[in-house]
Structure formats: C-alpha cells, structure tokens
Amino acid sequence: MPKPLEELRRDIVDVGKLVFQKGWVAATDGNISIRLDGGRILCTPTGVCKGMMRVDDLIICDMEGRKIEGCRDRTSEIDMHLTIYKMRPDVHSVLHAHSPVATGFAAAGRSLNMALLPEVVIGLGCVPLAEYGLPGTPALTEGMLPYIPQYDAILMANHGAVAYGENVHQAFCRMDTVEHLARVTLVAELLGGAKPLPRVEVRKLFNSRDRYGVKSNTGMLPGAPLTAEDLPPSEKMQLTREDLISILDDALRARGVLT
Ligand SMILES: [Zn+2]
C-alpha cells in the first residue's frame, strides 16, 4: 500500500530538518525527492532552507523536470534526481547534500574507496567519486552516469554527495553512512593511515548481505572497495644513523660541497 501524498510530504520535511540539523547543508543547499506514481516526482524547491521548510513549499514535477504542482520554483538539480530515477527503477527517493567531510573528500579529488568498516562494506560497498560537472547543466550528472547502476551513493567532485534508496529514510541513512565513513577515514588518515580489511574478510561481509536483508549491486567486482592486498606496499624504510650519514655525504660530494 503506497503512503498517502501528505505523509510523503511530511517525510521530506522531517528529513530536511535532520539534514539541516546535522550540518549537511548550508543556507538553501541540498535537495530531496520522492518518486510518486504516474511519472511524478515530489521534490524540494529551490531557495528554501531545509531546516525551515513546510509541506506546502514542496512541488511536484514530471519526469522531464517540468513543474506540475506547487507555488515555488524547481531546483536546477532536479535533473540529477530524474537521471537516477530513470536509470534505477528500484530507487524511489534521492537525497543530495553538501555534508562537509564527504564534500571535503570530493573537493580533494578523493573517493571513499577503502574497505574500512564492516557495516559500510555490507551496506554500500564503497563510495566512488564522479567527475566535476557545472551545476545547473547536464554536465552535473554526466560524470555520475558510470556509477549510478552499481552504487547507492556517489561523491560529486568539488560539490557534494548524493544517496538514494527505496524510500526517503533509506536515502537519508545512506547519506549518514557516507558522512560517517568520511569522518572515520579522515581520523584514520590523521592517525597514520587507514588500514583496509583483508580481501578474505571483505568477501565474507559481501556474503553476509542476505542474512541482513541488504540488496546491493556492488560486490567483488571491478570497482569493489580496496582491500589490504590492493594497497601498494608501504614505502617506509629504516636506516641506521651511519646509512643516513653516508647517503648525505654522497649527495654533498655529488654537488661538490664536500670533496
Ligand atoms: Zn548541490
């Protein structure tokens, strides 16, 4: 039994408040949508702070992004939502935010591609980084096209992140996982480097998905999270004091500083 429209409107408003309170959006950033029946999309409009949004601020668009109901204007980012709905019939809600740590990774040109945390490997596999595309143009989604079929959350270079799922609560939880993974990865890097799980453990986690009722198109496929075996061997080396002095002597002699 599909939920009544009024309930879906309230779901978006409630999730919008959470997204704002969690600091995932600044000012009027971000957008949330739900797929309705009849090729219609219920979505947040442009120019409204997600923390102060009301149910009658929401608008309804068709699958070409034309507004068919509501007073406010559509967001230019609706095209990204529509692309995801068209490519993924299983997706019924899309959430786009600029959560600061995940967006930091996206701004540094880094994906969240390591198998670090069991629940993330089970739920998302990993989070790829799509190439930058100018907001408000088709280029915004072009870089995401290769990733949409396989992944349920994507970082958008120099922009933010998007997560999607069967309903708005699953889309929200997936975005929460992305931001959490970004924070944990950052802390691990500050503490000397993230250490991914070994491949045998990652395989066990993928195999446990049925037990947890998790559906995902990721797995031990190209684009799987990097395991301990996938990382290059550490370039750290150990030198004695004598070794170091001899290297420095050689270097100084080569430059004619020592004779
Ligand atoms: Zn955005």
PDB file of all heavy atoms in Angstrom, residues 77 96 98 159, ligand 1:
ATOM      1  N   GLU A  77      18.902  21.237  -9.860  1.00  0.00           N
ATOM      2  CA  GLU A  77      19.500  19.919  -9.591  1.00  0.00           C
ATOM      3  C   GLU A  77      18.484  18.789  -9.722  1.00  0.00           C
ATOM      4  O   GLU A  77      18.835  17.620  -9.568  1.00  0.00           O
ATOM      5  CB  GLU A  77      20.171  19.914  -8.211  1.00  0.00           C
ATOM      6  CG  GLU A  77      21.494  20.690  -8.237  1.00  0.00           C
ATOM      7  CD  GLU A  77      22.184  20.819  -6.887  1.00  0.00           C
ATOM      8  OE1 GLU A  77      21.483  20.752  -5.855  1.00  0.00           O
ATOM      9  OE2 GLU A  77      23.404  21.006  -6.869  1.00  0.00           O
ATOM     10  N   HIS A  96      20.325  14.779  -1.925  1.00  0.00           N
ATOM     11  CA  HIS A  96      21.606  15.404  -2.292  1.00  0.00           C
ATOM     12  C   HIS A  96      21.963  16.439  -1.238  1.00  0.00           C
ATOM     13  O   HIS A  96      21.125  17.263  -0.865  1.00  0.00           O
ATOM     14  CB  HIS A  96      21.488  16.054  -3.673  1.00  0.00           C
ATOM     15  CG  HIS A  96      22.581  17.028  -3.954  1.00  0.00           C
ATOM     16  ND1 HIS A  96      23.914  16.675  -3.954  1.00  0.00           N
ATOM     17  CD2 HIS A  96      22.554  18.350  -4.222  1.00  0.00           C
ATOM     18  CE1 HIS A  96      24.646  17.731  -4.215  1.00  0.00           C
ATOM     19  NE2 HIS A  96      23.847  18.766  -4.374  1.00  0.00           N
ATOM     20  N   HIS A  98      25.554  18.631   0.885  1.00  0.00           N
ATOM     21  CA  HIS A  98      26.953  19.062   0.828  1.00  0.00           C
ATOM     22  C   HIS A  98      27.589  18.785   2.186  1.00  0.00           C
ATOM     23  O   HIS A  98      28.218  19.662   2.772  1.00  0.00           O
ATOM     24  CB  HIS A  98      27.046  20.552   0.491  1.00  0.00           C
ATOM     25  CG  HIS A  98      26.391  20.939  -0.801  1.00  0.00           C
ATOM     26  ND1 HIS A  98      26.114  22.243  -1.129  1.00  0.00           N
ATOM     27  CD2 HIS A  98      25.962  20.197  -1.844  1.00  0.00           C
ATOM     28  CE1 HIS A  98      25.537  22.288  -2.337  1.00  0.00           C
ATOM     29  NE2 HIS A  98      25.426  21.042  -2.777  1.00  0.00           N
ATOM     30  N   HIS A 159      31.810  19.426  -5.105  1.00  0.00           N
ATOM     31  CA  HIS A 159      30.411  19.780  -4.968  1.00  0.00           C
ATOM     32  C   HIS A 159      29.766  19.167  -3.716  1.00  0.00           C
ATOM     33  O   HIS A 159      29.419  19.884  -2.780  1.00  0.00           O
ATOM     34  CB  HIS A 159      29.663  19.358  -6.243  1.00  0.00           C
ATOM     35  CG  HIS A 159      28.240  19.781  -6.284  1.00  0.00           C
ATOM     36  ND1 HIS A 159      27.558  20.008  -7.451  1.00  0.00           N
ATOM     37  CD2 HIS A 159      27.347  20.017  -5.296  1.00  0.00           C
ATOM     38  CE1 HIS A 159      26.330  20.369  -7.181  1.00  0.00           C
ATOM     39  NE2 HIS A 159      26.178  20.366  -5.870  1.00  0.00           N
TER      40      HIS A 159
HETATM   41 ZN    ZN B   1      24.442  20.704  -4.711  1.00  0.00          ZN
END
